[in-house]
Amino acid sequence: MEVENTWSEDRKYTRAPPPPLPTPRNGRKQRRNKCLAAIALILGIFLTLLILGLTGFKVKRPVTTIHSVVLKELQTSLDIPRLKAYFNISLDMNLSIKNENKIGFKFTHSCVFLNYRGQVVGDVSIPAGEISADKTVYMDLTVTFMADRLLSNSDLYADVISGTLPVSTSTRISGKVIIGIFKIHAASYTSCDIIIDVKNKSVAKQTCHSKTKL
């Protein structure tokens, strides 16, 4: 007689319950907290700027000043039959850039341009740099008149014959002042009208103007 034994085993597997879905109340609370955090950040920045402004930390424009323009070299020659004038001219300039801010001012690469009757006839580079708080940087520059740019200008001959040569210089210094996460751009413009005495080989008159912009 055979006896058949049958074994059965029920195995039960359980899974972790899914996380509860956020309720509308929790969603509104999270959005409210984010809004409050953003408002607090904006108010903090505003109060910081207000305090800096009231304590004399206002952003000021750089001041560019041309102190002197001296005629370094002047060589002239006249071609009377062709009514043309040939000459070489160099001007020595002393200028300064003053930073009146309580923090450093970084300025980009710039140029001083020499102009003759609205035409650029020479330039000299001003390399990029940084000026510390309440400091002034002085520069000595030499601008050379590129006479080859004026070979077709008929006014040049007449000016040399008259004994006076009108030229002008223009300079633009631009940069930024960094306060925390803010970058405030500022620029300074300076121009000079110069009358050169050809006979005496000197600067007869110069008038300079400056303006700044934030």
Side-chain angles (χ1 to χ4, degrees), residues 45-69:
I45 295 174
F46 175 77
L47 291 175
T48 301
L49 293 178
L50 180 62
I51 293 172
L52 291 176
L54 293 176
T55 55
F57 219 88
K58 298 179 181 179
V59 176
K60 299 179 181 179
R61 305 170 180 87
V63 179
T64 304
T65 305
I66 295 180
H67 299 282
S68 64
V69 179

Side-chain angles (χ1 to χ4, degrees), residues 15-21:
R15 295 181 179 178
L21 296 174

Side-chain angles (χ1 to χ4, degrees), residues 110-124:
S110 183
C111 286
V112 177
F113 295 100
L114 180 64
N115 309 282
Y116 172 74
R117 297 192 179 278
Q119 181 179 354
V120 177
V121 294
D123 60 77
V124 60

